[in-house]
Amino acid sequence: MELNAVARPDPGVETTGLSTISGSLQRYGSVRDGPATATTSVPETAAVMPKRLYVVVAVLCYVNLLNYMDRYTIAGVLLNIQKYFNVTDSLAGLLQTVFICSFMLLAPVFGYLGDRYNRKIIMVAGLCIWTFTTLGSSFITQSNFWVFILTRALVGTGEASYSTIAPTIIGDLFSGFERTIMIAFFYIFIPVGSGLGYIAGSAIANATGDWHWALRVNPILGFIGLILLMLIVPSPPRGASETQGAVHLENTPYMEDVKYLLKNRSFVWSSLGVTAMAFVTGALAFWTPVFLYRAQVKQGRCRPSSEDPCNTEDSFKFGVITVVTGILGVVMGTYISRKLRHRLPNADPLICAVGMLTSSPCFFFAIVLADRSIAATYVFIAVGETLLSLNWAILADILLYVVIPTRRATAEALQIMVCHLLGDAGSPALLGLISDAVSRSNPDSYSWMFRSLEYSFLLCPFIGVLGGMFFLLTALYIAEDRKAAQMLTAGKAPVLGQTPVSGQIPVSGQDPVSGKNPVSGQDPLPSVSTCHPIHLTSEA
C-alpha cells in the first residue's frame, strides 16, 4: 500500500491516526478535496445519482431480509428437524449456537477487511458461501446430524461479512437524519426477515410435506440478491457523506482502532446493551414456537406430534406477529427519535432503555400465562416485541455517529462479536440445557416438558432489565462522544471531557483517546487549511 509522508508523533505517544499531510496521492478508501488528476480518483459516490442511492439501499435491504429469513427458517421447522434427526432440546439448540458462534468469530475478520479493502467484493464472497452452504444443508441424511450442524456454522460466514459491512456503506452514502431513515429501512428487515423465516419455513414444509424444501427457497432468492449486489451496489469512499471531500480519511493500525473503541464509553455501554438484547431475542426467537406448541399440548388443545411434517401453526402465527410488530416498532422508534433528538441530546439511548425495561415484564407475563391462555400469551409477546423493536434502527445509528468512518466496520465487528459471544450464541443452547436438566426429573411427562422449557425461559426478562440499565449508562456519555466523533471526522481534535461548540478547534488540541496532541504529543493541533488538510492515516 502506498504511503504519504506523515508527521510522526513522538515515540510512545498514543494517537488516533490524525496527522497533517501535504502529499497529493490518493489512497484506497480516502476522501480528499480538489479535482481529480492522474493520481487521484473521483469518489464513487460522486457518480451515483440520488435516485440510484435509494436503489442501492433497496438492494442492501433485500439481502438483509434474506439473511434473517435464513437464520429463522430453521426455528420455523424445528419440530420437524428434532423428529427427523431424533435429537434433544440441548442438541437442537446447538443449531443456532454454532451458527452464531461462526458469525461472531468471523465478524472481527470481516471488520478488519471492511475498513481496509473493497467492501463490495467482501460481501459478494460471503454471500456466495452462504448461498451454496444453505442449499447443500438441505440434502443431509438422518444419520449425519453433526454434518448438518457444521453447515449451519458455515452459513454464518455470509451474515458475518454482510452484517458487518452493509451498514457502513449506508453510512457513507447518507448523512444526518436521511441516514437515520435509511438505516431504519435497513434494520426494519431484521424483524421482518425473522418473521418471514418462520412463515416461509412452516408454509413450505406444510405445502411440500418435506421440511428440507424450506432450506432450498432462500438460496434461490440469494442468487438474485448476489446478482443485484454485483451490478448495483458501489463501494463508496469511507466518510464520503460527512467530509464532502474536505478531509482525507485513512486507516490506522488495527490495535489503535480497538483501543479507540474501548475508550469510547458510548460504544462500550451500548454494546453491552445490545448484548442483553441479543440474549433475549435469540432465546425467544428460537424456542417460542416450540414453547407455544407444548403449552397447547399441556392444555389439551392438540396432541403430541406424530405426523410428518409436524404441526407448524405456531411458527406461522409467531412469524406474522414478528413481522407486524417489527415494522411497527422500528417506525415508532425512528419517529420518537426524530422528535426528541434535537431537544434531548441523549434521547436515543433513553429510548433503547425504555424499550428494554418495558418489554421485560411483557415477556414475563407471556411466559407464565402460556399454560392458561394462549391468546394472552400472544398479546404480551406482540407488545413485548414491539417495544423491543424500538431499538433496532436507533442502535445502528448510535454506532455510526459515535465512531469515526474509518473505524466503523471494526466497531460493527467488535459489537457483533461481543453481543453474540455473551448473547444469542449461547442463549438458545443454554435454555435447551436448562430445559433438559429440569425435565430429567420426570422425562415421560409431556406436561413437564412444557414446564421445564417455561422455567428456562424465565431467565430472559431478567437479562432484559440488565440491558435497560446498560442503555441508561450509555445516555450519560452519548452527547460528548458524538461531538468528539464529529470533530475528529472534520479533522479537529476535541477537548477531553468537554463538548466543544460545533465548528471550533479547541486551543489545547487534545486527543480524546490519548489525552495528548495526536501529531506531536504536546503542541496544539494546527488549524485546518486547504493547503495542508488533516488526514486520518495509517502507519502500515
Side-chain angles (χ1 to χ4, degrees), residues 489-505:
T489 301
K492 307 168 187 177
V495 179
L496 185 65
Q498 177 181 337
T499 303
V501 179
S502 179
Q504 291 183 349
I505 303 177

Side-chain angles (χ1 to χ4, degrees), residues 107 131 166 193 272 320 326-327 344 353 414 420 490 508:
T131 302
L272 291 175
V320 172
I327 295 173
L344 195 62
L414 289 179
H420 292 308
S508 66

Side-chain angles (χ1 to χ4, degrees), residues 177 332-351 401 475 478-479 482:
F177 189 70
M332 287 174 57
T334 304
Y335 177 79
I336 296 170
S337 173
R338 180 182 182 183
K339 290 296 183 182
L340 295 182
R341 186 179 292 178
H342 297 298
R343 291 180 290 173
L344 195 62
N346 57 356
D348 286 348
L350 289 177
I351 294 170
Y401 65 62
I478 193 78
R482 181 176 188 177

Side-chain angles (χ1 to χ4, degrees), residues 69-90:
M69 280 184 64
D70 178 76
R71 182 189 290 197
Y72 291 105
T73 295
I74 290 290
V77 293
L78 186 58
L79 285 169
N80 294 282
I81 291 174
Q82 285 188 277
K83 182 182 177 183
Y84 180 80
F85 289 108
N86 190 26
V87 294
T88 62
D89 286 352
S90 54

Side-chain angles (χ1 to χ4, degrees), residues 330-402:
V330 171
V331 171
M332 287 174 57
T334 304
Y335 177 79
I336 296 170
S337 173
R338 180 182 182 183
K339 290 296 183 182
L340 295 182
R341 186 179 292 178
H342 297 298
R343 291 180 290 173
L344 195 62
N346 57 356
D348 286 348
L350 289 177
I351 294 170
C352 294
V354 170
M356 289 291 289
L357 293 173
T358 55
S359 65
S360 294
C362 294
F363 291 133
F364 176 81
F365 287 117
I367 294 166
V368 299
L369 292 176
D371 63 336
R372 300 177 180 87
S373 173
I374 293 295
T377 295
Y378 273 123
V379 169
F380 279 111
I381 287 175
V383 175
E385 286 200 327
T386 301
L387 293 169
L388 207 59
S389 296
L390 295 175
N391 301 359
W392 285 118
I394 296 175
L395 289 171
D397 209 22
I398 287 175
L399 185 145
L400 290 175
Y401 65 62
V402 300

Side-chain angles (χ1 to χ4, degrees), residues 57 60-65 162-163 166-167 170 181-190 396:
V57 173
L60 294 175
C61 289
Y62 172 74
V63 179
N64 198 38
L65 173 76
Y162 190 79
S163 298
I170 296 177
I181 295 295
M182 294 301 109
I183 286 292
F185 276 118
F186 181 79
Y187 277 89
I188 206 171
F189 287 98
I190 292 179

Side-chain angles (χ1 to χ4, degrees), residues 219-295:
I220 296 173
L221 300 175
F223 284 122
I224 298 173
L226 188 62
I227 294 171
L228 293 174
L229 201 63
M230 290 189 292
L231 296 179
I232 296 175
V233 176
S235 183
R238 292 156 182 82
S241 64
E242 291 148 308
T243 63
Q244 301 299 320
V247 178
H248 190 155
L249 302 179
E250 299 182 359
N251 302 116
T252 47
Y254 184 72
M255 290 311 299
E256 284 190 22
D257 296 350
V258 173
K259 286 191 289 184
Y260 161 81
L261 293 170
L262 291 179
K263 293 180 180 180
N264 187 321
R265 295 164 296 183
S266 296
F267 172 76
V268 170
W269 288 118
S270 64
S271 295
L272 291 175
V274 174
T275 301
M277 184 176 170
F279 185 99
V280 174
T281 56
L284 292 173
F286 193 75
W287 285 113
T288 295
V290 174
F291 176 70
L292 292 172
Y293 176 77
R294 292 181 183 178

